[in-house]
């Protein structure tokens, strides 16, 4: 029932703590903790957890391949007949998130994902200023929610996070070029 915090971004974690503290996001466990923190403590906790990148992922639970396939299809393309976009549009390829706002889903616990999607669907979960998740969740069946939760729980993320990958691509050294005198 608790989320995996590894690989989440600072902004997502900080915004979540603020939502718990303000009551926008409901949780009997997190609300009292968040309310007890001042803004700097929320920033510090968010920075600490955002820096955690080396936690091992437990083995994925065995899941019926048809359920995984259904979840993968929803993640990739959604369901146009019900007005559901693919999860990758906001949560990135392979569930790596789209920093700084959209959370990392790859390797997240299936039960946690399913519980959160059901909370979006019922209107119990808030914290999305545009209501995108509530809109999507209300158009998913319980089987859809189960399948996409199982799919993301089964993914094992890449070692390099998207932020690092983009940064490295911009700063990678160019291969050495021969000097004009060395060419014969």
């Amino acid at each position: 029932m608790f989320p995996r915090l590894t690989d989440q971004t600072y902004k997502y974690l900080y915004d979540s703590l603020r939502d718990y503290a303000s009551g926008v996001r409901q949780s009997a466990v997190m609300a009292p903790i968040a309310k007890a923190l001042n803004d700097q403590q929320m920033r510090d906790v968010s920075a600490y957890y955002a820096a955690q990148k080396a936690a091992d992922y437990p083995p994925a639970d065995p899941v019926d391949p048809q359920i995984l396939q259904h979840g993968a299809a929803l993640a990739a393309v959604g369901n146009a007949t019900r007005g559901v976009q693919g999860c990758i549009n906001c949560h990135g390829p392979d569930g790596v998130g789209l920093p700084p706002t959209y959370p990392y889903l790859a390797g997240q616990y299936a039960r946690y994902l399913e519980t959160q999607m059901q909370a979006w669907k019922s209107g119990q979960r808030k914290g999305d200023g545009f209501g995108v998740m509530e809109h999507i969740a209300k158009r998913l069946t319980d089987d859809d929610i189960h399948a996409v939760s199982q799919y993301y729980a089964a993914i094992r993320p890449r070692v390099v996070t998207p932020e690092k990958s983009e940064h490295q691509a911009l700063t990678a050294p160019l291969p050495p070029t021969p000097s004009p005198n060395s060419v014969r």
Side-chain angles (χ1 to χ4, degrees):
M1 297 305 296
F2 297 99
R4 180 181 171 79
L5 299 178
T6 300
D7 293 313
Q8 296 300 355
T9 65
Y10 166 84
K11 181 181 179 349
Y12 178 76
L13 295 169
Y14 176 69
D15 288 350
S16 294
L17 283 173
R18 287 185 38 203
D19 287 348
Y20 285 126
S22 71
V24 167
R25 191 166 170 188
Q26 300 292 313
S27 170
V29 173
M30 284 306 302
I33 294 168
K35 286 178 183 178
L37 300 174
N38 65 37
D39 189 68
Q40 186 58 52
Q41 290 169 325
M42 286 184 199
R43 291 177 185 281
D44 292 345
V45 167
S46 299
Y48 172 80
Y49 281 106
Q52 304 309 306
K53 303 291 182 194
D56 291 333
Y57 284 82
D61 291 333
V63 180
D64 181 325
Q66 289 183 327
I67 291 173
L68 288 178
Q69 186 175 17
H70 179 64
L74 286 169
V77 296
N79 184 314
T81 59
R82 284 192 257 138
V84 175
Q85 66 176 334
C87 305
I88 66 169
N89 292 336
C90 296
H91 296 284
D94 300 324
V96 298
L98 290 177
T101 306
Y102 298 102
Y104 210 99
L105 299 180
Q108 189 58 266
Y109 303 113
R111 186 72 186 124
Y112 175 77
L113 290 173
E114 196 164 341
T115 300
Q116 295 305 303
M117 290 291 291
Q118 291 293 349
W120 287 113
K121 185 176 182 173
S122 70
Q124 292 175 346
R125 179 160 176 193
K126 302 290 183 197
D128 171 4
F130 297 110
V132 174
M133 282 306 305
E134 186 173 348
H135 173 81
I136 290 170
K138 286 180 186 260
R139 287 167 170 70
L140 295 173
T141 67
D142 291 347
D143 287 341
D144 292 340
I145 290 171
H146 177 73
V148 80
S149 298
Q150 292 295 322
Y151 169 72
Y152 277 115
I155 294 176
R156 290 300 171 256
R158 295 175 273 172
V159 174
V160 178
T161 64
E163 295 129 322
K164 289 181 184 175
S165 177
E166 289 171 17
H167 175 71
Q168 287 172 344
L170 296 174
T171 60
L174 295 172
T177 56
S179 68
N181 296 336
S182 66
V183 177
R184 294 185 186 180

